[in-house]
Amino acid sequence: MRQEIKSVWPLKPMVVAIGVVLAIAVPAAAFVGGFFAGQNTVVPPSEIDAQIDAFAQVRTLANWEAEVDRQPSAPITRIVAVESGDNLMGVLLRAGAERTVAHAAIQSLKGSYDPRRDLNVGDELQITFGPGTIRTVEDGGSIDTAKYVLARLTIPVSYDRLIDVSRNEKGDFEASEVERQLEREVVEASGTIDSSLFVDASAAGIPPRVLAELIRIYSFDVDFQRDIWQGDKFELMYEQFRDENGDIVHQGDIRYAKLTLRNTEIPLYQYTTTAGNLDYFNAKGNSVRKTLMRTPIDGARLSSRFGKRKHPILGYTRMHAGVDFAAPRGTPIYAAGNGTIVKAGRNGAYGKYIRVRHNGTYQTAYAHLSKFARRTRNGARVKQGQIIGYVGTTGRSTGPHLHYEVLRNGRQINPRSVRIPSGEKLKGAELKKFTALRDARDLEFAQLREAAARLAENTVDEK
Ligand SMILES: [Zn+2]
C-alpha cells in the first residue's frame, strides 16, 4: 500500500487565502493560521478528532468538492506541546498528520531549523490542518480520500521569533523564520522591604527573571546581607511583551530602578552608549559595572564571613579564607569579572572548584560546585556575569553553598575589603545624552506611578 498526496488546497480557497495574506502582509500577523486569518478557529484536541472524523466521511472526490462548496473549509489549528521524549515527527503524528505529509514538512526545515537540536520540551507548536485528499494506491487502482491534511506548522524559536512552515502555490512546504508581532509595555513596581528584597519584591509581583536582574545590577554596590534594612524601599520599571492572545511571553530589561536604603537613594538607569555598550548608570552617569562583582550569585544568603571562625566540620578555630553564600543546589554561579579560567576541576576539600584570573593582581575562586557550566574548562575566557557553574556541596561541605574567594597576588583577602576600580564615567556630549534619558525615565516612572495610584483608588471606590 502506498500513499501520496494528490492535492491539498482546493483552488478557490487558495486564491482567497493569498488575497488575505497580501492584505495583512505584516510579518507575524500571519501567526495564527494566517491563510484564513479571521476565519481560523483554534479547537481543543478532543474536538478536532470529531471534526476530522466527520470530514473523512466524504469518500469520493466529487462528493468531497460538493461538500467543500457547501461547507466553507475553515482550517483547524491545533496547539500541541512538546513532551519529554518527543521528536517532531511524533508531535505531528499525535496532532493527526499523515506520516508522508509530516515527513515533507520536516524536510522543508533543512537549513533553517534542526528539530533534533532546537526542539525543546514545552515548546508549543501550532499545527494547522486544511481540507485535502490522500490518494491510496492499491492493487492497480487508487482511492482518493478527502481528509484534513497538514497545511501549516509554526514552531517557536524564541519569545519573539518562530519558524513558519507553510504551503507555497504549488502546494509544497516552505519554511521561513518570522518575527512575532508582540506588544511591548512598560510596567512599574514598587514596595517596602519588610523581610528581604527577594521576598518583598516577589510579593510585589516582580517576576523572577526581572528580580534576578535587579539583584545583579545592584550587586556591584549593595551587600544584600548587610546593607538592607526593614523599611528600605525599591521601585523599578521594566518591559514586558504580550503575544496576540494578550499572554505575557517575555519580560525584558529593567529600564530604571531605585533602591532607597536608610534614606540613601541609589537610582540606576539603563543606557546604551554611542559606542553601543548597554549598561546601568547612576544619576551622575557612572557605570555600576566594576572589575569584580561583590556577590557572584543571585538571591543567595551570606552564611559565613571572611575571617577566623570555628570550623563546622573540623571543630577547631581556623581562618575562613572566603565568604559562603547559602543557596539551593543548582543555583547559577557567575564569573565575578572578565577573565580566564585557570582551573576547573576537583580540588580536594574544595570539591568541584573554579579559579578565574582577572588581571595580574586579582583572581577569584568558587568551590563546592555541583557541576560546571558547559563551556567552563581550563583556558576558557569568561565574561563578567557569565554562568560558570552551579551550587552544590562537593568536597568538605555541610550543605549546598558557594564558597567564594578573592585572591590578590595569590593570597586570599576579604572580598569586602577589595578596592574595586569603578567602571565607565560618561562625559561631555555622551553625559548630556544620558542626562536627557535619565530625566525622561524619571518622568515616565512618575506618570506610570500616578496612573497606578489612580487605578488603585478607582478600584477601592467601586467596592
Ligand atoms: Zn567557605
Side-chain angles (χ1 to χ4, degrees):
M1 186 171 130
R2 190 168 62 87
Q3 286 195 328
E4 67 182 42
I5 305 314
K6 195 188 159 214
S7 64
V8 167
W9 294 99
L11 189 63
K12 214 166 59 185
M14 188 69 195
V15 172
V16 172
I18 290 167
V20 172
V21 172
L22 291 181
I24 48 145
V26 199
F31 177 57
V32 181
F35 262 120
F36 289 86
Q39 297 173 34
N40 204 348
T41 43
V42 176
V43 181
S46 55
E47 283 176 37
I48 191 180
D49 292 327
Q51 291 197 28
I52 288 178
D53 287 349
F55 210 83
Q57 298 297 315
V58 190
R59 285 290 163 198
T60 68
L61 195 60
N63 270 352
W64 177 75
E65 275 170 349
E67 187 67 18
V68 165
D69 272 344
R70 263 192 285 124
Q71 165 188 328
S73 49
I76 297 168
T77 295
R78 192 169 190 183
I79 297 169
V80 181
V82 176
E83 289 167 14
S84 171
D86 267 343
N87 59 24
L88 185 53
M89 177 59 89
V91 175
L92 293 176
L93 294 179
R94 192 161 74 232
E98 297 283 333
R99 184 174 287 274
T100 45
V101 186
H103 182 73
I106 293 170
Q107 285 300 307
S108 78
L109 289 168
K110 265 200 182 131
S112 51
Y113 184 85
D114 177 357
R116 267 176 304 182
R117 190 192 59 204
D118 302 331
L119 196 67
N120 295 310
V121 171
D123 282 354
E124 285 191 343
L125 275 50
Q126 298 223 14
I127 305 169
T128 303
F129 294 86
T133 54
I134 301 280
R135 170 169 290 184
T136 308
V137 182
E138 208 172 19
D139 302 330
S142 65
I143 310 163
D144 288 323
T145 312
K147 266 198 164 179
Y148 266 107
V149 176
L150 179 64
R152 186 194 189 110
L153 163 70
T154 63
I155 312 166
V157 287
S158 67
Y159 76 93
D160 64 345
R161 303 193 75 76
L162 55 87
I163 295 285
D164 177 273
V165 178
S166 307
R167 303 263 187 184
N168 63 18
E169 285 148 64
K170 286 188 278 173
D172 298 329
F173 284 112
E174 256 176 29
S176 56
E177 189 168 325
V178 294
E179 209 172 300
R180 291 176 71 176
Q181 238 165 29
L182 301 175
E183 211 169 298
R184 189 185 69 99
E185 54 190 27
V186 177
V187 190
E188 65 87 30
S190 53
T192 301
I193 298 168
D194 191 35
S195 52
S196 77
L197 177 63
F198 192 83
V199 168
D200 294 302
S202 299
I206 297 171
R209 189 186 174 277
V210 176
L211 184 51
E213 178 74 359
L214 181 72
I215 290 171
R216 184 151 50 227
I217 63 179
Y218 277 100
S219 67
F220 296 99
D221 294 307
V222 174
D223 178 335
F224 287 99
Q225 188 69 14
R226 277 168 74 137
D227 299 344
I228 304 245
W229 294 76
Q230 211 171 42
D232 286 347
K233 289 181 166 58
F234 61 90
E235 58 187 45
L236 71 159
M237 194 162 65
Y238 61 92
E239 293 173 332
Q240 67 186 19
F241 297 87
R242 288 181 191 273
D243 66 9
E244 46 287 285
N245 302 321
D247 294 333
I248 297 167
V249 290
H250 182 71
Q251 270 108 13
D253 291 341
I254 294 174
R255 293 152 65 93
Y256 155 83
K258 185 165 85 179
L259 290 184
T260 305
L261 307 180
R262 293 209 279 174
N263 303 323
T264 306
E265 295 189 340
I266 314 174
L268 294 181
Y269 302 84
Q270 189 193 45
Y271 174 70
T272 307
T273 62
T274 311
N277 295 326
L278 185 145
D279 212 338
Y280 288 88
F281 294 84
N282 67 17
K284 289 178 184 153
N286 299 342
S287 161
V288 296
R289 201 170 290 278
K290 308 275 164 58
T291 315
L292 295 179
M293 291 164 87
R294 281 199 192 285
T295 310
I297 187 170
D298 277 341
R301 179 173 59 84
L302 183 74
S303 54
S304 179
R305 295 177 194 289
F306 183 88
K308 281 208 166 59
R309 66 162 181 184
K310 194 166 178 168
H311 194 278
I313 290 179
L314 303 175
Y316 52 84
T317 301
R318 50 173 280 174
M319 185 67 186
H320 185 226
V323 289
D324 291 347
F325 296 99
R329 185 191 154 85
T331 303
I333 298 163
Y334 306 114
N338 293 350
T340 306
I341 295 177
V342 289
K343 185 169 172 59
R346 291 235 168 223
N347 186 9
Y350 282 118
K352 285 189 181 165
Y353 171 93
I354 300 171
R355 198 165 72 240
V356 179
R357 181 184 185 277
H358 300 289
N359 51 40
T361 311
Y362 286 108
Q363 299 185 42
T364 51
Y366 314 78
H368 309 309
L369 278 54
S370 60
K371 60 172 187 170
F372 301 113
R374 205 185 312 162
R375 282 179 295 169
T376 296
R377 57 177 178 276
N378 285 341
R381 303 255 335 138
V382 290
K383 281 193 165 160
Q384 187 169 60
Q386 181 183 325
I387 295 173
I388 51 173
Y390 302 88
V391 168
T393 184
T394 54
R396 194 185 294 143
S397 164
T398 48
H401 75 284
L402 167 68
H403 170 92
Y404 173 56
E405 293 181 356
V406 176
L407 298 95
R408 183 166 56 209
N409 300 321
R411 293 191 47 176
Q412 289 102 339
I413 57 162
N414 184 350
R416 281 203 60 86
S417 74
V418 184
R419 295 233 175 274
I420 303 167
S422 62
E424 188 176 4
K425 285 185 166 68
L426 302 178
K427 290 190 192 82
E430 187 82 64
L431 181 60
K432 237 183 198 165
K433 208 176 125 203
F434 167 78
T435 310
L437 172 125
R438 180 198 68 191
D439 295 346
R441 287 278 190 275
D442 283 343
L443 183 66
E444 190 184 358
F445 181 79
Q447 285 168 343
L448 279 174
R449 191 83 211 96
E450 203 179 299
R454 221 177 307 130
L455 192 70
E457 217 169 80
N458 288 346
T459 314
V460 170
D461 284 348
E462 280 163 22
K463 276 180 190 165

